[in-house]
Amino acid sequence: MLALRTPGSPEHAPPNKACDDMLDSMQLFVSLPLLPAQAATDGAVDSTGLAIGLAVLVAAAIAAYAMLKSKSGRVAPTDDTQKAAPAAVVDVPSDEARQAAKALRRAARGGVKVGADGELKRLDSFDLDQQTRRELEDSASRRSQVRAPQADDGEQRAYLEAGLSKTRSEGFVARLGKLFQGKQIDAALLTEIEEVLYRADLGVKTADRLLDALKVASSRKELEDTEHVWKTLRQKSLEILRSVGERPLQVENDSGPAVLMVVGVNGSGKTTTIGKLAHRYAAEGRKVIVAAADTFRAAAVDQLEVWCQRAGVELFRGKENADPASVVFAAIEKAKADGADLVIIDTAGRLHTNSNLMEELRKVGRVAAKAQAGAPHEVLLVLDATMGQNAVKQAELFREAIDVTGIALTKLDGTAKGGVVLAIAEALKLPVKLVGVGERMQDLRDFDADLFVETLFDGKDGHAAGPVS
């Protein structure tokens, strides 16, 4: 009825002693059902006895299989999805240790996955084991890719020169330059400087600070010529930018995926900025999921999908007209289950004057915090530089709805209103973290206050741009 492979058979030799022990145990298990089976053939038992014998045989086979997996170091499936997944046997480079630990923690903690239909499905230990293996292998693959080259100072300067070219040739810098030609520094000139600054897109507070600095320098007889005026403007501008601090986007979170929420009005360049950010972090080896929470405009989701395809990242989209907060919650749960590093949330390009829509924005923030502790870890407000002081007004109203942590200033190359950077820092006390110039994937750079001021006033104080003390 059943032919056993004996431990001594050379063609079926077990790989180790554990298997020898297992086969010996199987002899004992199998002998039990064979007894009633044999009796049945002799007419000693009826069909009920035979059924019992077969059931015992099945139980013995299952027990033997479990012993084999245990002895050989494999993990048997279990319904306890809260137990830690076993360490996957994957060759991971030494610089992958941190990513490997995060993958194991996430697999052990998650216990669920989000299907294509958005439903949560519970995993058993075998699924967790496979998920962990895939995460480690994916991480190693991503990290082995060539990372996006970092721009050197010369390239960064050229990038900002392109962005500030109109401000330098048409904006307040150009107008001040014309004003200084052939004139002496006196009270009358200071009055003309005041008029230029107030008409610029610097804002009243910024213009006041710059004028106060010039008046103090004039009273101390420090404004001997126009070079000293430029130097004072440079120093005060840098002081304004440094006063709000310089901190890049913080998108690291050891306890789960970091959550970056992006807000802004329609037409500000929000979708483009998200695409460029997704490309940046994917190139660094991060596993990125973009949550399409602008569910009321199908065109917005379609446009976002195109950018995600270019960046090579996953887009999580809910049903049309679905509650944006529910989409955000499901996207974060999926990110946790899949071991993603970063969730970028695209919000509706709401009108900042619409109170109902601003309340929806608050709700999205609250739900993100429920799905992931500390989320959103960054709230990036995208502003169009061509809007000038209107951009500052937008920022003020957005801050009333949610805790904005930084500004991404787009279309800097298309305007002479580059001075709005100073207005944002002075009026809002918010740092500009990113500046956008151009439509290429790499045309989104971290903001450098020193380099910005140096480029803005390059050569205006008698020498080429250099560090300002």
Side-chain angles (χ1 to χ4, degrees):
M1 185 175 178
L2 175 65
L4 290 175
R5 297 175 181 175
T6 62
S9 302
E11 68 273 21
H12 301 295
N16 50 47
K17 186 178 182 303
C19 291
D20 290 339
D21 296 340
M22 182 276 298
L23 289 174
D24 290 340
S25 300
M26 285 186 65
Q27 294 280 4
L28 177 59
F29 279 115
V30 175
S31 67
L32 295 176
L34 287 179
L35 291 176
Q38 180 63 39
T41 61
D42 295 337
V45 294
D46 55 13
S47 59
T48 302
L50 180 59
I52 296 174
L54 291 175
V56 175
L57 176 60
V58 172
I62 293 174
Y65 175 72
M67 290 177 61
L68 175 61
K69 290 178 71 63
S70 176
K71 293 290 186 181
S72 61
R74 297 288 300 277
V75 176
T78 175
D79 291 333
D80 185 5
T81 59
Q82 300 305 316
K83 293 182 179 180
V89 183
V90 179
D91 292 330
V92 181
S94 57
D95 62 352
E96 294 300 314
R98 182 168 175 269
Q99 290 296 320
K102 289 171 68 175
L104 288 171
R105 288 198 302 272
R106 290 169 184 167
R109 182 180 63 252
V112 295
K113 66 179 178 180
V114 181
D117 57 358
E119 296 294 328
L120 295 179
K121 299 179 180 179
R122 189 166 293 281
L123 307 177
D124 60 24
S125 293
F126 182 75
D127 290 326
L128 289 172
D129 179 40
Q130 297 302 311
Q131 177 178 307
T132 304
R133 288 172 182 267
R134 288 193 299 269
E135 171 60 27
L136 293 175
E137 291 168 352
D138 290 347
S139 177
S141 175
R142 293 195 304 269
R143 297 285 179 178
S144 65
Q145 296 177 355
V146 178
R147 296 188 177 188
Q150 299 296 315
D152 56 27
D153 290 343
E155 183 182 350
Q156 287 282 67
R157 187 181 300 280
Y159 181 83
L160 271 179
E161 284 177 351
L164 293 172
S165 61
K166 288 191 175 182
T167 302
R168 287 165 49 84
S169 63
E170 303 173 18
F172 81 97
V173 175
R175 291 195 291 271
L176 286 176
K178 294 179 180 179
L179 179 64
F180 294 159
Q181 291 180 356
K183 293 185 179 181
Q184 294 182 347
I185 307 300
D186 53 23
L189 184 60
L190 287 177
T191 300
E192 294 183 67
I193 293 175
E194 179 177 3
E195 183 179 352
V196 170
L197 294 179
Y198 279 124
R199 287 187 176 182
D201 284 277
L202 297 171
V204 175
K205 291 183 178 180
T206 308
D208 283 341
R209 286 195 64 176
L210 294 178
L211 284 169
D212 288 344
L214 290 174
K215 290 175 181 178
V216 170
S218 177
S219 65
R220 294 175 180 175
K221 307 299 182 181
E222 295 174 358
L223 299 183
E224 301 174 357
D225 51 36
T226 57
E227 289 185 8
H228 288 82
V229 176
W230 287 118
K231 183 176 181 180
T232 301
L233 291 174
R234 289 181 79 207
Q235 290 176 333
K236 183 54 61 173
S237 296
L238 187 57
E239 179 183 312
I240 291 172
L241 294 177
R242 286 177 175 174
S243 66
V244 297
E246 289 186 85
R247 184 175 63 88
L249 286 174
Q250 299 295 313
V251 289
E252 291 284 350
N253 183 31
D254 289 335
S255 62
V259 178
L260 169 60
M261 187 172 173
V262 184
V263 300
V265 300
N266 289 334
S268 64
K270 179 166 54 68
T271 303
T272 302
T273 298
I274 291 174
K276 292 175 180 178
L277 284 171
H279 173 264
R280 168 192 287 199
Y281 292 119
E284 292 179 359
R286 307 287 294 277
K287 186 171 183 179
V288 181
I289 292 179
V290 175
D294 187 358
T295 58
F296 298 101
R297 289 197 310 133
V301 180
D302 292 340
Q303 182 186 11
L304 191 62
E305 184 173 26
V306 171
W307 277 100
C308 287
Q309 290 173 351
R310 292 177 184 174
V313 302
E314 181 178 356
L315 174 68
F316 186 91
R317 59 191 301 169
K319 296 180 180 179
E320 188 174 351
N321 295 329
D323 179 32
S326 68
V327 174
V328 169
F329 186 88
I332 295 176
E333 288 298 312
K334 177 175 176 58
K336 291 192 290 186
D338 292 353
D341 299 292
L342 175 63
V343 178
I344 302 177
I345 300 173
D346 177 30
T347 57
R350 63 201 72 247
L351 293 173
H352 54 285
T353 55
N354 189 314
S355 59
N356 291 333
L357 291 177
M358 296 301 278
E359 178 54 38
E360 178 190 297
L361 189 63
R362 296 184 185 95
K363 180 181 177 182
V364 169
R366 292 193 300 268
V367 170
K370 291 181 180 179
Q372 175 65 36
H377 302 94
E378 289 274 4
V379 178
L380 189 66
L381 173 59
V382 179
L383 295 177
D384 181 347
T386 63
M387 298 296 291
Q389 282 297 299
N390 284 335
V392 177
K393 295 297 183 182
Q394 290 177 15
E396 290 174 345
L397 292 171
F398 271 103
R399 288 187 70 184
E400 295 176 3
I402 195 165
D403 185 18
V404 177
T405 59
I407 303 294
L409 194 63
T410 63
K411 308 178 187 179
L412 190 61
D413 55 329
T415 181
K417 302 175 181 179
V420 71
V421 174
L422 298 173
I424 291 170
E426 177 62 26
L428 304 175
K429 304 302 180 185
L430 279 175
V432 174
K433 295 193 173 186
L434 299 167
V435 289
V437 176
E439 292 296 324
R440 298 177 303 169
M441 280 291 195
Q442 62 270 33
D443 288 339
L444 184 69
R445 307 294 177 92
D446 292 326
F447 180 74
D448 185 323
D450 293 76
L451 190 57
F452 177 86
V453 173
E454 292 167 11
T455 306
L456 183 64
F457 296 106
D458 186 9
K460 295 299 184 181
D461 52 356
H463 58 276
V468 182
S469 58

